Structure formats: structure tokens, C-alpha cells
Amino acid sequence: MIQIETAANDDSVQVLTFDVRGETFALEAGLVREILDLPDETEVPGAAEFVSGVMNFRGRVIPVADLRLAFGLGRADDTLDSRIVVIELELDGDPTLVGLRADKVHEVTSLSMTDTEPPPPIGMRWRQDYVSRIARRAGEPIILPDLACIFAERGEPRSAAPSLQPVS
């Protein structure tokens, strides 16, 4: 599970908020490397279903993951607001760049970790282990996904396709 870092004397954390199929998600801002307009993507036959393809990012080929599919929300058409959020996270012990498809990127903001709670054990429409915490802002839920779990569950490719590769 990705640990969200907070200052020693403060329980707040800086997060980037974005929408995926009408749901608001948040990622620790320190993971974000860049926010891009939609680049050209190349499909990868046999890749995990939620990996929509690969893209060129500063001379490197990186996977593009669609959280809509990982969370079972189904595919959606891209809009003028659609973006790719390039993040760096540790997978299999190596720093790895991944592009995450977002329907709309909102802002970097602070969330108080005391105002978050673990996902409920029942009643969620998503896999509980894919959600690290749930926050509320103005009465609306903000989902903090557990990216380590999502990418650990990337599953076996349907054929001999490349897996997510670490950045060298």
C-alpha cells in the first residue's frame, strides 16, 4: 500500500484531484511528474485490460493505465478536458513511470488525513483493496486509490506482452 506522507506536525497532505467517470480521485502530489494533453498512444496486444496502451514520454515508452477500467467503470470517450497524469511510483522495488488517464484534472489541494477513513468492508461498488482511504470535501467523497495494489493486480497478460517496466 502506498503510504501518504504528512508533515511531522501536520496531518494534511498535498494531493492532485481529478475526475474519472464522475468520481473524484486524489493522488499524493509528490507522485505527479507531469499533466499532459492526450498524446498519441500505441495499443499493446495482450496487455492487461486497464492498460490502454503505451506512449512516448520524454523519449521513454511508458504504459498508460485507465483507472476507469481498473475500477470497473467502463470505457468512456475522451473530451477536451481529458488528460494524462504521469506519475512515478515504486513497482517491484523500482521507480516506474505510468500515465493515468483522467477525464478532468482539478487542482492541487490539501487534505486532512484525520478527515479520511478506510473504505467500508461492504457496500462499495469497487474492490475494497483498490481504495486506500476515502475523504470528504463539501460532502462529496474523494477516493484515494491504492496504486500499489492496483498495479500489483495487473494480472497476467493474455499473451506474451511486455509488463510495466521500471524507469532506468
Side-chain angles (χ1 to χ4, degrees), residues 43-52 69 75 154-162:
E43 287 188 33
V44 180
E49 184 179 342
F50 71 91
V51 176
S52 60
L69 299 177
R75 295 190 188 277
R154 60 188 178 262
E156 293 299 317
R158 289 184 296 270
S159 66

Side-chain angles (χ1 to χ4, degrees), residues 17-37:
T17 57
F18 60 97
D19 283 351
V20 175
R21 287 294 290 252
E23 302 286 345
T24 302
F25 285 75
L27 297 174
E28 184 179 351
L31 296 175
V32 178
R33 297 296 168 254
E34 199 161 329
I35 299 168
L36 306 171
D37 290 333

Side-chain angles (χ1 to χ4, degrees), residues 16-19 35 81 83-85 102-107:
L16 173 73
T17 57
F18 60 97
D19 283 351
I35 299 168
D81 291 328
R83 299 288 183 269
I84 300 294
V85 179
D103 295 332
K104 183 176 186 174
V105 174
H106 293 288
E107 64 182 344

Side-chain angles (χ1 to χ4, degrees), residues 1-157:
M1 171 154 84
I2 292 177
Q3 295 297 317
I4 296 181
E5 295 184 24
T6 61
N9 59 354
D10 188 4
D11 74 338
S12 66
V13 62
Q14 294 290 109
V15 296
L16 173 73
T17 57
F18 60 97
D19 283 351
V20 175
R21 287 294 290 252
E23 302 286 345
T24 302
F25 285 75
L27 297 174
E28 184 179 351
L31 296 175
V32 178
R33 297 296 168 254
E34 199 161 329
I35 299 168
L36 306 171
D37 290 333
L38 293 179
D40 291 332
E41 284 183 49
T42 302
E43 287 188 33
V44 180
E49 184 179 342
F50 71 91
V51 176
S52 60
V54 294
M55 62 177 243
N56 180 2
F57 177 70
R58 298 185 182 190
R60 294 192 169 135
V61 175
I62 67 170
V64 176
D66 192 337
L67 291 179
R68 296 177 290 211
L69 299 177
F71 278 89
L73 300 173
R75 295 190 188 277
D77 292 332
D78 293 323
T79 68
L80 290 175
D81 291 328
S82 297
R83 299 288 183 269
I84 300 294
V85 179
V86 178
I87 61 169
E88 182 176 338
L89 66 153
E90 194 170 301
L91 293 177
D92 300 327
D94 294 310
T96 304
L97 290 173
V98 177
L100 297 178
R101 186 174 296 281
D103 295 332
K104 183 176 186 174
V105 174
H106 293 288
E107 64 182 344
V108 173
T109 188
S110 291
L111 282 181
S112 172
M113 293 310 291
T114 58
D115 293 336
T116 69
E117 58 190 60
I122 59 170
M124 287 190 44
R125 62 176 150 168
W126 309 308
R127 287 182 48 171
Q128 178 185 2
D129 56 335
Y130 279 12
V131 178
S132 173
R133 307 284 296 169
I134 299 175
R136 292 222 177 258
R137 175 163 283 157
E140 295 297 318
I142 299 175
I143 308 302
L144 287 82
D146 188 336
L147 296 175
C149 183
I150 292 169
F151 287 108
E153 295 288 326
R154 60 188 178 262
E156 293 299 317

